[in-house]
Amino acid sequence: MAAIGLYIPHFKKFIVKPVLKSLTTKAGKSLYSEAAVNLLTGTAIVESRLRFLRQIVRYETDGTPVDGVALGIYQVEKNTLADIYDNFLKYNPELLQVVEAYRGNEPREDAIISNLKYATAIARIYYFRKKEPLPSSGDYKGMAKYHKEHYNTSKGATNVDESEEDFVLAINDGKLPYYYKKLKKETV
C-alpha cells in the first residue's frame, strides 16, 4: 500500500472542514458534519492516498506511469464532473456559486486536479446527491461500505475490508488506535 501524501489533520482542518462549512443549500441545509469530514477524508485516502493527482492504471516496462481517466485526489471522472454540473449544480445556484468561487478561472478538469478545495466541494456534492444517509462519524466499517456502494461502485477496484483501515486513519487523524490494531491481529 502506498504511503499517504498529505498530513491528515492539516487536510481536514485547512481543506475539508472549511469547504464543507461553506456549502449550504437554498433550504439552509449545511453539507457540513463530522461524518462528512471523515467520509471525504477517507475517500481521498482510499482513492489517491492523498497523493496521486491522476489515476495511474499501470506502469510501462520502463516505469513510466500510464494515466487513467480519474482526476484529482478524489479520482473524479470527467463524466461524473459533467453530471454534477448538468444535473445538480445547474438547479442549485447557491451551491454553484460557492463551487465556482473555489474553481476560479481554471477549466473544471484542471481545477479538479490542482485545487483541493474545489475537488472537495465536488466530492461532497457527489455524496450529498445520494439518498442513503451518511454513516455516523466514527463508523469506519459503515464508511468503507458506503464509499464502495456510492462512490467507488461495484465496478471499482476498492475492497471494503481493505479500505476499512483507511477510514480508521481518516477518523483518527492518521493514527491507528490500539483497539484497531488488536482487532486486526485477532481476526488474522
Side-chain angles (χ1 to χ4, degrees), residues 1 4 8 42 45-46 49 140-141 144 159-172 174-177 180-181 184:
M1 184 176 293
I4 295 172
I8 294 170
I45 294 169
V46 171
R49 308 304 301 157
Y140 66 90
K141 287 179 181 266
N159 175 297
V160 172
D161 292 333
E162 292 174 6
S163 68
E164 284 180 3
E165 187 172 301
D166 293 332
F167 286 95
V168 170
L169 291 170
I171 291 164
N172 293 287
K175 299 178 188 93
L176 282 179
Y180 182 78
K181 293 176 193 175
K184 287 305 255 189

Side-chain angles (χ1 to χ4, degrees), residues 45-135:
I45 294 169
V46 171
E47 294 292 332
S48 70
R49 308 304 301 157
L50 274 173
R51 181 176 174 194
F52 298 104
L53 299 177
R54 285 291 306 252
Q55 178 185 37
I56 298 173
V57 293
R58 64 182 165 78
Y59 291 89
E60 298 288 357
T61 54
D62 68 356
T64 303
V66 176
D67 290 339
V69 297
L71 307 171
I73 59 166
Y74 296 100
Q75 298 291 282
V76 176
E77 294 183 10
K78 294 174 188 180
N79 60 343
T80 301
L81 184 58
D83 178 69
I84 288 169
Y85 274 88
D86 296 344
N87 296 307
F88 185 77
L89 288 174
K90 174 165 113 173
Y91 303 105
N92 293 276
E94 69 292 339
L95 288 172
L96 176 62
Q97 183 178 5
V98 175
V99 169
E100 289 296 278
Y102 285 126
R103 181 172 69 91
N105 295 323
E106 278 190 284
R108 293 174 189 166
E109 292 172 10
D110 292 342
I112 201 81
I113 293 170
S114 65
N115 187 321
L116 296 176
K117 288 185 174 183
Y118 174 71
T120 298
I122 292 295
R124 178 61 183 109
I125 288 167
Y126 181 88
Y127 276 125
F128 180 70
R129 295 172 67 193
K130 304 302 175 185
K131 291 185 183 347
E132 188 177 335
L134 301 182

